[in-house]
Amino acid sequence: MKISFIGAGRVATHLAHALYAQGFEIVQVYSRNLFHAQVLARTVHATSIDTLADIVATDLMVIAVSDQAIESVITQLATLVDDHTLIVHTSGSTAMQILTKHHLRAGVFYPLQTFSLEREVNWSNTPFLLEAQYDADLLRLNEMARTLSQQIYHYNSEQRLSLHLAAVFANNFSNYCFDIAKQTVERNAVDFNLLTALMKETAEKACQFDPKVVQTGPAMRQDQNTLDAHQSLLQQQQAEDHLAVYRLLSEHIKKRHQVK
Amino acid sequence: MKISFIGAGRVATHLAHALYAQGFEIVQVYSRNLFHAQVLARTVHATSIDTLADIVATDLMVIAVSDQAIESVITQLATLVDDHTLIVHTSGSTAMQILTKHHLRAGVFYPLQTFSLEREVNWSNTPFLLEAQYDADLLRLNEMARTLSQQIYHYNSEQRLSLHLAAVFANNFSNYCFDIAKQTVERNAVDFNLLTALMKETAEKACQFDPKVVQTGPAMRQDQNTLDAHQSLLQQQQAEDHLAVYRLLSEHIKKRHQVK
């Protein structure tokens, strides 16, 4: 199966590397920024292009660009390729229909993972969410995903959106809480590394049990003394934004764990 | 060293078990609820009491009760024991001074960890924050902590409070984000287990790098389309509280990562 990548960012880079390592042939890498295309293309022995009109026919085109750019890319691609080519996007929050309304042979190949260029991806732990207009294409995507992970799911676009939204809470917002924690201790010259075991344990525990059941802390205990002591310290630190987060989340946790 | 525990909750139970396993003699366990005292006392071959006046002199008394109850406990203990006994509390958010104003030979023995009765504690990963009125007692607490962990810190009460506050963000609030994530996917009949690898990876990454540097997501990218799609889905799910959290945290992340 010959594959081209539209996009050369984090998702495109990690996916192209992984598929190349599994023996898939990567033909072209497109980016608006030719240098970015070259950086990725070189590592997977592909050619780089910065003009979509230069794209050649392949079995599969993977659109891994920012969500806002997907529609403009598919609009152009649809005029350049025929039904020989399956086109997928890799977006959790974008419906498949944004592709099918321009090019019927379409699908979604969404790896649910947080990608950064600094860290290796653990593919075997990464769930893949697949969707395709045609059953035969779903099977093809399934086979391709299977070379990277055993966790393959067929969910529709709305289910995928709800998972993508949930991932914002599970990943982006929990990471932002870690970020606030770091700023909080550093304002008192305390080492952030003291919190790392706790952070890992929190994630482990929430995975092993229901996070509602393992909730702890002053808000959950309705411990107003400690809630007040924390808010005084945040006021003293002049951390207005962090105080607002503290208040809102504490109110919600109190409400969720109220004894009825 | 002979030790008694005032309190029989999660912290008292885990600490008493760990110290007993290291060969410390546990003499008495006090709880207002005699049954709770008995449950813990039995497992560490101690006697159980539900009246503080029945306490006998030991080298060390560990007050591991709710923060609000510490002052009432020390007020009573101070009338019952003399300077032969070192009294410590195990609270992150309570100043040592609440003890020293009643009993000078006092200190703090605070394990920074999230305790639940369902899960074994990894002590070697657990930082201990120690404080004592007298240097000789700080050394004693240090020796005792060292049997459980290599991570021992001497911070003052304000630094300990800032760490306790940071732990609310790092543990309680991130866990609440996991809780919201679970509710979000389950409203669309999607399996929460799909998110567990992501949750663990989030914690690992924030520990290995600076959480600010590894922040991802639509708010950080200032991706208004995705922010809108997520908010529409939350509205459609009638999850008003989760929508409020989504809005506040997204605004803060946008602000923190604004290109200036």
Side-chain angles (χ1 to χ4, degrees):
Chain A
M1 180 138 80
K2 296 185 178 195
I3 307 173
S4 285
F5 275 85
I6 317 300
R10 285 181 297 190
V11 176
T13 299
H14 281 297
L15 258 188
H17 286 171
L19 292 170
Y20 178 73
Q22 291 300 323
F24 290 93
E25 184 183 344
I26 315 296
V27 180
Q28 291 181 311
V29 174
Y30 162 87
S31 169
R32 278 179 310 183
N33 179 319
L34 188 61
F35 175 70
H36 291 164
Q38 284 168 340
V39 168
L40 173 54
R42 196 170 297 149
T43 56
V44 294
H45 295 93
T47 58
S48 50
I49 57 173
D50 64 354
T51 307
L52 269 183
D54 294 338
I55 202 108
V56 297
T58 49
D59 303 304
L60 175 68
M61 290 183 184
V62 178
I63 302 178
V65 299
S66 68
D67 292 350
Q68 309 96 287
I70 294 176
E71 184 136 31
S72 125
V73 165
I74 187 66
T75 310
Q76 295 172 71
L77 276 186
T79 66
L80 300 165
V81 301
D82 62 20
D83 271 358
H84 170 74
T85 302
L86 169 61
I87 303 181
V88 298
H89 72 61
T90 58
S91 164
S93 62
T94 307
M96 178 173 71
Q97 192 250 342
I98 207 170
L99 302 182
T100 54
K101 70 182 179 190
H102 300 283
H103 181 85
L104 253 187
R105 225 186 126 195
V108 177
F109 192 81
Y110 170 54
L112 178 67
Q113 190 51 275
T114 167
F115 295 102
S116 55
L117 293 177
E118 302 86 10
R119 224 176 120 87
E120 284 287 300
V121 178
N122 183 340
W123 289 107
S124 62
N125 262 344
T126 303
F128 277 86
L129 277 75
L130 310 181
E131 195 178 359
Q133 180 71 10
Y134 300 115
D135 287 348
D137 287 333
L138 191 59
L139 279 176
R140 279 183 196 100
L141 295 176
N142 213 83
E143 256 178 66
M144 189 166 89
R146 215 172 248 294
T147 66
L148 302 176
S149 169
Q150 299 305 306
Q151 296 185 54
I152 297 170
Y153 300 87
H154 301 165
Y155 281 126
N156 65 33
S157 290
E158 187 178 331
Q159 289 177 310
R160 193 172 58 250
L161 178 62
S162 85
L163 196 61
H164 188 263
L165 165 59
V168 167
F169 284 98
N171 168 252
N172 307 156
F173 290 168
S174 62
N175 184 70
Y176 182 61
C177 292
F178 297 150
D179 184 11
I180 296 180
K182 184 165 189 279
Q183 297 173 65
T184 301
V185 289
E186 289 180 349
R187 282 191 292 259
N188 277 79
V190 171
D191 186 353
F192 175 58
N193 285 320
L194 267 77
L195 290 166
T196 57
L198 183 69
M199 287 158 56
K200 291 181 196 175
E201 173 69 9
T202 303
E204 290 286 341
K205 222 191 232 180
C207 292
Q208 190 181 343
F209 303 101
D210 181 337
K212 186 184 179 191
V213 170
V214 297
Q215 183 70 56
T216 56
M220 189 266 185
R221 295 194 307 272
Q222 324 276 331
D223 171 356
Q224 198 58 47
N225 288 346
T226 303
L227 291 168
D228 291 343
H230 285 167
Q231 289 174 54
S232 300
L233 182 59
L234 285 169
Q235 256 153 357
Q236 196 185 310
Q237 294 187 340
Q238 298 185 299
E240 294 306 326
D241 276 4
H242 300 172
L243 185 59
V245 172
Y246 190 94
R247 283 192 176 133
L248 184 74
L249 294 183
S250 294
E251 279 316 307
H252 285 192
I253 293 172
K254 277 161 83 171
K255 204 166 128 192
R256 179 142 171 83
H257 291 272
Q258 213 157 34
V259 183
K260 268 133 201 158
Chain B
M1 182 138 78
K2 296 187 179 193
I3 308 173
S4 285
F5 276 85
I6 317 300
R10 285 180 299 191
V11 176
T13 299
H14 282 297
L15 258 187
H17 285 171
L19 292 170
Y20 178 73
Q22 291 301 323
F24 290 93
E25 182 183 345
I26 315 295
V27 179
Q28 290 181 310
V29 174
Y30 162 85
S31 170
R32 278 179 310 184
N33 179 318
L34 188 61
F35 175 70
H36 291 163
Q38 285 169 339
V39 168
L40 172 54
R42 196 170 296 149
T43 56
V44 294
H45 294 93
T47 58
S48 49
I49 56 173
D50 64 354
T51 306
L52 270 182
D54 293 339
I55 203 104
V56 297
T58 49
D59 305 304
L60 175 67
M61 289 182 185
V62 178
I63 302 178
V65 299
S66 67
D67 291 350
Q68 309 96 288
I70 293 175
E71 184 135 32
S72 125
V73 164
I74 187 65
T75 311
Q76 295 173 71
L77 276 186
T79 66
L80 299 165
V81 302
D82 62 20
D83 270 358
H84 169 76
T85 302
L86 168 61
I87 303 181
V88 299
H89 72 61
T90 58
S91 164
S93 61
T94 306
M96 178 172 71
Q97 192 249 343
I98 206 171
L99 301 182
T100 53
K101 70 182 177 189
H102 300 282
H103 182 85
L104 253 189
R105 227 191 123 194
V108 178
F109 192 81
Y110 170 54
L112 177 67
Q113 189 52 276
T114 167
F115 295 102
S116 56
L117 293 176
E118 303 86 10
R119 226 174 119 86
E120 283 288 301
V121 179
N122 183 341
W123 288 107
S124 62
N125 263 344
T126 302
F128 277 85
L129 277 76
L130 310 181
E131 195 178 1
Q133 180 70 11
Y134 299 114
D135 288 349
D137 287 332
L138 191 58
L139 279 176
R140 278 183 197 100
L141 295 177
N142 214 82
E143 257 178 64
M144 187 167 89
R146 217 171 246 294
T147 67
L148 302 177
S149 168
Q150 298 306 305
Q151 296 184 56
I152 297 170
Y153 300 86
H154 301 165
Y155 282 126
N156 65 31
S157 290
E158 188 178 328
Q159 289 176 310
R160 193 172 59 249
L161 177 61
S162 85
L163 195 60
H164 188 264
L165 165 59
V168 168
F169 284 99
N171 168 252
N172 306 157
F173 290 168
S174 63
N175 184 70
Y176 182 61
C177 291
F178 298 149
D179 183 11
I180 296 180
K182 183 163 190 278
Q183 297 172 65
T184 301
V185 289
E186 289 181 349
R187 283 191 292 260
N188 277 78
V190 171
D191 187 354
F192 175 59
N193 285 318
L194 266 80
L195 290 166
T196 56
L198 182 70
M199 287 157 55
K200 291 181 197 174
E201 173 68 9
T202 303
E204 290 286 340
K205 223 190 230 178
C207 293
Q208 191 181 342
F209 303 101
D210 181 338
K212 187 184 180 191
V213 170
V214 296
Q215 183 71 54
T216 57
M220 189 266 184
R221 295 193 307 272
Q222 324 275 331
D223 171 357
Q224 198 57 48
N225 288 346
T226 303
L227 291 168
D228 291 343
H230 285 167
Q231 289 174 55
S232 300
L233 183 59
L234 285 169
Q235 255 152 357
Q236 195 186 308
Q237 293 186 343
Q238 300 186 298
E240 294 308 326
D241 276 5
H242 300 172
L243 185 58
V245 173
Y246 190 94
R247 282 191 177 134
L248 184 74
L249 294 183
S250 294
E251 279 317 306
H252 286 191
I253 293 173
K254 278 162 81 171
K255 203 166 129 192
R256 181 143 171 83
H257 291 272
Q258 215 158 32
V259 184
K260 267 134 204 159

